[in-house]
Amino acid sequence: GDSVTQMEGPVTLSEEAFLTINCTYTATGYPSLFWYVQYPGEGLQLLLKATKADDKGSNKGFEATYRKETTSFHLEKGSVQVSDSAVYFCALRGATSYGKLTFGQGTILTVHP
Amino acid sequence: GAGVSQSPSNKVTEKGKDVELRCDPISGHTALYWYRQSLGQGLEFLIYFQGNSAPDKSGLPSDRFSAERTGGSVSTLTIQRTQQEDSAVYLCASSSLSGDTQYFGPGTRLTVL
């Protein structure tokens, strides 16, 4: 079945550091890929998405590129801020899963001033 | 416009009691999903409703769990004879018929004593 593997956290960075959170997946066909973010005390929010190979999703300075050859969707940001501290979830929607999302375990990011 | 709402926000119950959790999706969204977020299992899909089609119940962990969606809008997730392992945050999400972006509610935190 479909699965998503994220790098283990927690990740602790200083403000303005470069961020990478790795995400790889297993799925049949061509899934859609997502990053969701959960800020402290808030619900899950969509951060970015990509629906086909080589697409790049971007939002709020974050980027991720759908790499079919490596089955990856790594999240990157060039310069993190304290306000980026949150839990980040990689997810996929399988080609035949009729909307169901499969999530990774989540990565806790803490950014210090 | 209004987002997905869930009630109650917190629920504490005793082992063996039944509980009902409610979800109000975004107006006009025909797809509705329930997920569970727990420390040990991460984010797990439970059930999916799409219009008048039969729901996808493949993620329900046992026959103590059931859900219904009345009039294509509000949904209720019922857990009978609650167990301590049912303690988790139960998340509801909705999406439009053709879109693949799921919008999540704030969740209901269930604690089974």
Side-chain angles (χ1 to χ4, degrees):
Chain A
D2 297 342
S3 67
V4 176
T5 302
Q6 281 182 243
M7 66 183 289
E8 293 186 14
V11 175
T12 303
L13 296 173
S14 297
E15 206 164 25
E16 299 184 2
F18 184 85
L19 168 71
T20 300
I21 301 178
N22 290 337
C23 171
T24 57
Y25 67 89
T26 301
T28 55
Y30 296 87
S32 295
L33 301 174
F34 305 84
W35 277 100
Y36 277 83
V37 59
Q38 190 171 34
Y39 297 103
E42 298 185 18
L44 271 174
Q45 302 174 26
L46 178 67
L47 181 59
L48 53 83
K49 68 178 182 180
T51 57
K52 60 183 188 293
D54 299 325
D55 267 3
K56 177 185 285 187
S58 61
N59 186 26
K60 301 182 180 180
F62 291 88
E63 293 183 339
T65 301
Y66 187 147
R67 301 285 189 201
K68 181 70 176 173
E69 62 276 12
T70 54
T71 61
S72 65
F73 193 55
H74 304 322
L75 182 68
E76 296 183 337
K77 186 174 186 182
S79 176
V80 293
Q81 304 300 311
V82 172
S83 57
D84 294 326
S85 298
V87 184
Y88 292 81
F89 294 91
C90 186
L92 71 81
R93 187 189 70 159
T96 59
S97 64
Y98 305 105
K100 160 189 152 184
L101 289 174
T102 299
F103 287 89
Q105 289 292 91
T107 300
I108 300 172
L109 170 66
T110 303
V111 180
H112 293 297
Chain B
V4 177
S5 61
Q6 293 185 245
S7 60
S9 55
N10 281 285
K11 176 72 176 179
V12 180
T13 190
E14 294 179 347
K15 178 181 173 181
K17 301 284 190 183
D18 297 352
V19 296
E20 287 189 348
L21 313 179
R22 177 187 168 104
C23 171
D24 281 275
I26 292 172
S27 177
H29 279 189
T30 59
L32 187 147
Y33 315 79
W34 284 97
Y35 295 86
R36 179 169 70 173
Q37 186 174 20
S38 59
L39 280 177
Q41 302 297 322
L43 264 162
E44 306 170 276
F45 164 79
L46 296 177
I47 188 168
Y48 160 56
F49 296 89
Q50 172 61 66
N52 295 322
S53 302
D56 175 359
K57 304 179 182 180
S58 62
L60 295 178
S62 78
D63 59 8
R64 296 186 296 105
F65 288 72
S66 63
E68 63 177 17
R69 189 176 184 193
T70 53
S73 182
V74 171
S75 177
T76 302
L77 177 69
T78 301
I79 309 173
Q80 296 179 307
R81 305 181 302 282
T82 52
Q83 304 295 313
Q84 289 183 331
E85 61 262 29
D86 299 334
S87 295
V89 176
Y90 289 82
L91 297 171
C92 177
S94 70
S95 69
S96 62
L97 175 62
S98 58
D100 59 4
T101 297
Q102 294 182 25
Y103 297 88
F104 284 79
T108 293
R109 180 175 297 278
L110 175 66
T111 303
V112 182
L113 301 177

